[in-house]
Amino acid sequence: MDYSFFIWSIATYIEARLKEEIDYSRLERTIGFSYRHIRETFKECTNISLSRYILTRRIANAAFEIIHTNKSLLDISGEYTFNNYDTFTRAFKRYTKITPSEFRTKGCKVGRYRFLMGMFAPVILEENEDILLSNSILEVENIMKNREKTDNSCILFGVPKVAYSFEECTPFPTALKACLNYMGQEIDYSYIMATSGAAFRLRWNINCWDGGNVDIMNIYQDKYEAFKRAFKAAGRTYKILKREKASKEDFIEFIKSEIDEGRPVIALGIIGPPEACLITGYQNNGETLLGWNCFQENREFRKDIKIHESGYFICNTWWENPATIAVMAVGEEQNQPMDAKDIIEDAIKIMTTEKICYDSTNSDRKIEYAGGQSAYDAWANAISDEKEFPKDAILPLLFERIMCQGDAQVMVGEGRSYAACYISWVGNNNEIIADECQQAAKLFKEEAQCAFKMNEVKGGFMQDEQATRTFAKPDVRKQIVPLINKAKEYDAKACTILKQILTKLK
């Protein structure tokens, strides 16, 4: 069972109440489970007890105020519910190895980092952790492409980090860009977004609230088509090994052969959901993998994860994760990149495909995703349905709703922003279609702005408890629906102009 929403709900509930005694009966009502179940499941999923988690979060938040405010240490200790300053000092020292006064004097590093999906919170950094968290790209040239090889391990150092950022919100383009950059090929993120189809997509499951709406494996009828098109557009040969047709030993052999040749491996899963990540090394003859994953710093997925001194994750339970569904190798051979006409033709197809259906692995029922103009309607209808937002809804249910909303905003906001970048580039390189390209790019930018304006209505991009409850309010969702409809209108107009461009390219 996927407990992501469960852990997010507990963590955000706690984070909002660190300056007060936790009311566990209210926590039960909010989460929808007994305190015993909450406590046991939290420990099982995060490898830390709920009580210790609460203490560490109070210490981290207190540390943030110690460094970033002029409040007295006594006042800070009282705000975070410590009965007296001595108790606070002992707890703080157990966690940080130094006293609060020493912590302030040394000017230790505390910042806000992505702590959970959509949630930034205070985190105390170790002395060398700024290297790991702030810029793990490791741009020092003398370590690029260096390998550490033994009889049963091989690690590639200097592979650019794969992580969510405000500029790059889709894992596969980020992973492919990092992989190719390491292999010596410069490639633009917007180009991968466009050629994979990610820049032009919007998908919405018409049968349920689905965290997989945003997955680029749902763009095409062939779930692996987005990857294949991106590899082809980069001019690279490729190999894909799918779990459904392979064993763990097959995966290990595939990974080891590529890493030994100095090539990172793109994988789906490893940590968390079946999103793309990079495998940059292996240990224990492949039983343990190292690499970059967008979810490696997320509390809900960190139970069995360790961090290597390079910043790479270290994971030996990757095969036990059912979301580990494929590994992909990028070949050394470079061929002719994909033609702009083919990319634009594909964009039109994505933007006009009204439905994508897949067979469900768990039942006879089809999984149906609305696409094209229908996806905007399905999205608007879902958030307009008051039955889906009951007054006394438990927090995990509301988190599911706001996550789907956020994913749709990413598909439109990030996607159409990069669609505009790509179409502008095409126009700048072809005078015949320059005017039409600029018109389409302008419409895509306007559409992206609609998604960004939705954050203004919700009160920001965060997905914490306050934002979740704000989104559940009928008047807030009613303000978002017109923005969805406006985005739909811009998308249709942009698609019409793309068809005009295609006619001129033929």
Side-chain angles (χ1 to χ4, degrees):
M1 180 176 177
D2 183 359
Y3 282 99
S4 298
F5 295 123
F6 185 80
I7 300 303
W8 294 346
S9 300
I10 297 168
T12 55
Y13 179 93
I14 297 299
E15 199 71 21
R17 295 165 177 81
L18 293 174
K19 291 186 176 182
E20 61 189 70
E21 294 297 334
I22 304 298
D23 184 336
Y24 293 104
S25 61
R26 184 179 174 190
L27 175 63
E28 287 181 323
R29 294 193 300 272
T30 302
I31 305 302
F33 291 92
S34 70
Y35 175 62
R36 178 179 177 181
H37 180 75
I38 291 170
R39 183 184 61 200
E40 292 176 354
T41 305
F42 190 89
K43 174 67 181 295
E44 175 64 24
C45 292
T46 66
N47 211 29
I48 183 173
S49 69
L50 184 59
S51 59
R52 177 155 180 77
Y53 172 78
I54 294 170
L55 175 61
T56 59
R57 292 311 303 149
R58 282 182 170 139
I59 294 296
N61 278 263
F64 186 89
E65 297 206 33
I66 289 171
I67 296 300
H68 297 289
T69 75
N70 294 320
K71 293 180 181 179
S72 73
L73 300 180
L74 182 61
D75 287 345
I76 291 173
S77 68
E79 285 183 18
Y80 286 96
T81 74
F82 292 93
N83 293 330
N84 56 66
Y85 185 67
D86 287 341
T87 301
F88 174 59
T89 299
R90 287 195 298 271
F92 195 93
K93 190 172 182 179
R94 281 200 304 271
Y95 184 60
T96 67
K97 311 303 182 190
I98 58 177
T99 66
S101 59
E102 291 170 330
F103 193 87
R104 174 170 275 177
T105 300
K106 289 181 65 176
C108 294
K109 296 180 180 180
V110 188
R112 290 187 180 274
Y113 292 89
R114 194 168 69 92
F115 191 68
L116 295 161
M117 286 295 292
M119 176 182 164
F120 288 75
V123 176
I124 301 173
L125 305 183
E126 301 293 341
E127 287 186 7
N128 64 338
E129 202 169 359
D130 57 329
I131 297 174
L132 307 185
L133 292 179
S134 64
N135 183 14
S136 297
I137 295 179
L138 299 177
E139 295 174 342
V140 183
E141 296 206 1
N142 63 1
I143 67 170
M144 287 296 285
K145 291 202 174 185
N146 278 0
R147 280 185 291 173
E148 184 180 273
K149 184 81 169 71
T150 68
D151 290 340
N152 63 5
S153 70
C154 184
I155 304 174
L156 309 178
F157 290 107
V159 180
K161 185 175 184 179
V162 174
Y164 285 121
S165 69
F166 289 111
E167 293 80 20
E168 299 180 5
C169 301
T170 305
F172 174 70
T174 303
L176 180 57
K177 175 186 171 185
C179 181
L180 292 176
N181 285 175
Y182 180 80
M183 294 173 67
Q185 178 181 350
E186 290 298 322
I187 192 165
D188 193 74
Y189 181 81
S190 62
Y191 181 71
I192 304 174
M193 285 288 289
T195 56
S196 67
F200 305 100
R201 80 201 191 278
L202 179 64
R203 296 290 183 257
W204 191 278
N205 192 321
I206 63 176
N207 297 314
C208 66
W209 293 86
D210 186 354
N213 289 334
V214 75
D215 194 333
I216 69 172
M217 295 184 77
N218 296 325
I219 297 176
Y220 303 93
Q221 194 63 54
D222 175 359
K223 282 183 166 288
Y224 289 85
E225 183 66 21
F227 310 128
K228 296 173 184 176
R229 290 187 64 84
F231 292 135
K232 181 180 178 182
R236 294 280 181 165
T237 57
Y238 62 90
K239 293 182 292 184
I240 300 177
L241 180 64
K242 303 175 185 177
R243 185 178 184 129
E244 62 197 56
K245 298 180 179 179
S247 64
K248 180 180 181 181
E249 289 69 30
D250 294 330
F251 266 54
I252 290 175
E253 182 180 352
F254 185 101
I255 292 166
K256 288 176 63 178
S257 64
E258 291 299 313
I259 297 295
D260 287 346
E261 290 297 323
R263 295 186 293 267
V265 173
I266 297 175
L268 303 179
I270 306 297
I271 298 171
E275 293 281 10
C277 67
L278 275 187
I279 299 171
T280 60
Y282 66 85
Q283 296 172 335
N284 304 323
N285 277 321
E287 292 289 334
T288 301
L289 299 181
L290 295 85
W292 293 121
N293 187 293
C294 289
F295 302 96
Q296 71 187 69
E297 294 167 7
N298 282 41
R299 174 68 62 178
E300 64 270 33
F301 300 119
R302 281 175 56 183
K303 178 186 175 184
D304 300 315
I305 306 304
K306 296 181 180 179
I307 301 298
H308 188 265
E309 61 185 7
S310 63
Y312 297 152
F313 68 75
I314 303 174
C315 180
N316 57 18
T317 58
W318 56 274
W319 186 255
E320 286 69 31
N321 180 3
T324 300
I325 58 175
V327 284
M328 297 177 276
V330 181
E332 294 284 357
E333 182 181 351
Q334 296 190 49
N335 302 308
Q336 187 68 26
M338 192 179 292
D339 187 83
K341 180 175 75 69
D342 293 334
I343 297 170
I344 293 174
E345 191 171 42
D346 184 62
I348 294 169
K349 182 178 179 182
I350 294 168
M351 295 167 70
T352 56
T353 297
E354 295 292 302
K355 185 182 290 187
I356 297 288
C357 295
Y358 304 110
D359 292 326
S360 173
T361 56
N362 300 320
S363 68
D364 295 332
R365 189 176 184 179
K366 292 277 188 181
I367 301 174
E368 298 180 75
Y369 289 98
Q373 295 284 284
S374 296
Y376 295 88
D377 295 334
W379 176 12
N381 291 338
I383 71 166
S384 299
D385 188 350
E386 294 305 323
K387 297 192 301 295
E388 297 297 320
F389 296 85
K391 184 178 179 181
D392 298 322
I394 59 174
L395 199 53
L397 181 143
L398 296 181
F399 263 103
E400 180 184 61
R401 307 298 192 252
I402 198 172
M403 191 188 78
C404 290
Q405 169 68 26
D407 286 346
Q409 287 181 222
V410 166
M411 285 185 273
V412 173
E414 185 206 30
R416 300 312 184 269
S417 293
Y418 284 110
C421 290
Y422 174 73
I423 295 298
S424 292
W425 176 83
V426 172
N428 291 337
N429 289 275
N430 190 330
E431 291 183 1
I432 297 174
I433 56 173
D435 289 343
E436 288 86 352
C437 284
Q438 296 312 312
Q439 292 174 39
K442 182 178 179 181
L443 287 165
F444 281 134
K445 289 177 182 177
E446 294 285 357
E447 182 179 358
Q449 284 302 312
C450 290
F452 300 141
K453 288 177 182 176
M454 293 177 199
N455 281 332
E456 296 176 15
V457 176
K458 293 189 306 176
F461 66 88
M462 291 280 281
Q463 293 181 13
D464 54 16
E465 181 186 357
Q466 180 179 349
T468 301
R469 295 196 183 283
T470 298
F471 178 63
K473 295 178 180 178
D475 61 321
V476 171
R477 288 179 283 110
K478 285 178 181 177
Q479 294 179 63
I480 292 175
V481 170
L483 291 170
I484 296 173
N485 292 333
K486 195 66 177 176
K488 173 186 174 182
E489 180 184 334
Y490 285 129
D491 206 63
K493 289 180 178 179
C495 188
T496 298
I497 296 177
L498 291 186
K499 292 176 182 178
Q500 296 171 9
I501 294 171
L502 190 61
T503 301
K504 287 191 174 186
L505 288 175
K506 289 183 177 179

